[in-house]
Structure formats: structure tokens, C-alpha cells
Amino acid sequence: MAWTDKLKPSIYALLPPAFWLGVWQLAAFLVERWVEGRGNELLLPYPLTVFRSLLRLGSTPLFWTAVAASLARILMGMAVGTLLGGLLAGLTYASRWCDRLLSPAIRVIRATPVVSFILLVLLWTDRNLVPAIIAGLMVLPLVWSNLARGLRETDPQLLELARAYRFSPLKTVRLIYLPSLRPYFMTAAATAMGLSWKSGVAAEVLCLPRHAMGTQIANSKLYLEVPDLFAWTAAVVVLSLTLEQLLRRVLSGRKGGVPNAH
């Protein structure tokens, strides 16, 4: 029965999406019965209808232009947020005064609703930059908290050994701090991918850049093109999950793997 063992991973992977597609199909059917076939597509379209809309959108240059623009903004914001989070983690670990000054501000960023930041940043900068800035702001506290924790939990015996052998600061960072931080950074990066997509697309929906997936979601809602609204949302979800899994695979190929998020 070796062939059944080979099929088990595929079956286990397909069962959850098949189940939820079935729930969606049933819910759309019940809605259609409830409205007696009048305006069903304005409330909850069938999965096949959404799939056809996605295929139609995918055959247009507008779709791929929006995808590329959103991808560029969000990845740029994630990269900058990750860099700043790492720098701030180093500062708050190295200096007690920096920790006292910066940690409360970073915690405020983490606690503030994303919509408030979107509206404030929209007042201060060009709308095309807002999604990248918001993605970076949402990623920064996550990276900072993980790396700050990793720095605090660096093995003190290894640090004592570095001092005993008179390691230079650069050598201490390279041989002790970086290996200690690797699993914390991997966790932060993998989690930040999904968070940056959610916050970045939410910013696009509100600030309406010229080319953006969030702009198309807002337009679909405005013109009551509900199947297109579902199709754009599905495209965002698929792209976010794909990039997150790709990043996890890349990181898991390195030493240490990707542990669970903290």
C-alpha cells in the first residue's frame, strides 16, 4: 500500500480547502434560495463565479500591473521595517537610555490601530508611498521585539568566553550574536510577510494609489462588482500565502529552521 502512503500528504493538504469551498458553495446556495434568485451575486457569489472573474481579470494587463505595483510597495516597506527594527533592537539592547526612550514609542506603534496610521500618513505624504510606509510601520515592532528578545537571551557563557579570548566587537557579533539571533530573525521575517500584506493592502484600499490591488478592491466595492471584489481578495490571499510559504522554505533551508512565532 505504498501508493496510499504517498497520496496521504496530498489528501491532507486538499481536504481543508475542499471543505471550506463546500461551505462557501452551500452558503451561496442558501443565499440564493433566501433571495429567490434575485441579486444573489450582490451578496455572496458562487466559488465558480469568483473563479471565472479571477480568470478574466488575470487575462488583462491591469491585473498584473496592480499586482506588480502592490508587490513592490509592500516588499519595500517590509525590507525597510525589518532593517529599522533590527537597528532599534541593537540600540535598545546596547544602551539603557535608548531602551527607556525608544521602547515605549515602539510599543505605541504596535498598539495603535493601523487605520489611524493610514489616515495620518496620508496627510503627510504622497498616497503612492502610504502602503509601503504602513507595511514598514507594522513590521518594525515585530522585528524589534523578536530580535531584542534574542539579544537578551544570548548565552552569557559564550559572551564570557568571547571576553576571555578578547574577541573584537565585530568578531563577537559575527560568531556569537548572529547565530543566536538567527532563529528569532527567521520567525520575525516569516510572520512579517503576512502582516505586511494585510496592512499594505488595507492602506491601498483607503488611499487609492493609481495602480494597486487595494484600489481595485475599493473600486469593485464601489461599483457593486461583488464577484470581482471576491476575485481580487482571493488574489491577495493567494499571493500573500505563496510568498509567506516561499520565504519559510528559503529560511528553513538554512541552519536553524523557522520556529514558531513568539
Side-chain angles (χ1 to χ4, degrees):
M1 304 297 288
W3 64 274
T4 56
D5 294 334
K6 293 181 180 179
L7 285 177
K8 280 183 179 180
S10 299
I11 294 173
Y12 292 153
L14 291 174
L15 273 178
F19 171 79
W20 289 112
L21 281 174
V23 171
W24 180 1
Q25 178 76 16
L26 177 61
F29 173 76
L30 294 176
V31 169
E32 185 178 28
R33 293 292 299 272
W34 177 52
V35 299
E36 298 179 351
R38 300 189 303 271
N40 176 64
E41 298 302 321
L42 293 178
L43 296 175
L44 183 62
Y46 283 100
L48 183 58
T49 304
V50 174
F51 181 69
R52 288 172 178 168
S53 296
L54 185 58
L55 290 180
R56 175 176 52 80
L57 291 171
S59 64
T60 62
L62 173 65
F63 178 85
W64 297 107
T65 302
V67 168
S70 294
L71 183 64
R73 293 188 190 98
I74 290 169
L75 290 183
M76 179 177 69
M78 178 180 171
V80 173
T82 301
L83 178 62
L84 290 177
L87 291 175
L88 291 176
L91 284 174
T92 55
Y93 173 74
S95 169
R96 182 174 298 178
W97 279 106
C98 285
D99 185 40
R100 290 174 178 173
L101 291 174
L102 297 175
S103 294
I106 299 173
R107 292 189 176 95
V108 167
I109 292 175
R110 182 166 53 190
T112 303
V114 63
V115 67
S116 300
F117 275 125
I118 294 171
L119 296 176
L120 287 172
V121 174
L122 185 57
L123 294 175
W124 300 332
T125 188
D126 184 82
R127 63 179 182 174
N128 292 305
L129 296 177
V130 175
I133 295 173
I134 295 301
L137 279 174
M138 295 301 103
V139 166
L140 187 153
L142 174 65
V143 175
W144 168 78
S145 62
N146 272 40
L147 295 188
R149 178 176 178 179
L151 287 169
R152 291 193 301 269
E153 295 184 358
T154 301
D155 191 341
Q157 293 183 350
L158 292 178
L159 295 175
E160 182 65 30
L161 183 65
R163 286 190 290 267
Y165 282 92
R166 297 183 180 179
F167 282 7
S168 66
L170 183 61
K171 190 174 183 180
T172 302
V173 170
R174 182 171 60 87
L175 295 181
I176 296 178
Y177 281 113
L178 289 183
S180 175
L181 287 176
R182 184 180 287 113
Y184 296 92
F185 173 75
M186 291 178 175
T187 298
T191 307
M193 178 62 76
L195 181 61
S196 61
W197 267 101
K198 288 191 292 186
S199 58
V201 173
E204 290 177 346
V205 170
L206 288 180
C207 67
L208 303 176
R210 184 177 179 184
H211 300 294
M213 301 179 78
T215 301
Q216 298 306 317
I217 290 175
N219 289 339
S220 299
K221 181 260 184 184
L222 179 65
Y223 297 110
L224 297 180
E225 297 172 345
V226 179
D228 285 4
L229 172 62
F230 274 75
W232 280 107
T233 304
V236 171
V237 171
V238 170
L239 190 57
S240 175
L241 292 176
T242 301
L243 290 174
E244 184 176 344
Q245 289 302 316
L246 180 62
L247 181 61
R248 287 182 180 274
R249 286 180 180 273
V250 171
L251 295 178
S252 63
R254 300 180 180 181
K255 184 178 178 182
V258 183
N260 294 325
H262 294 287

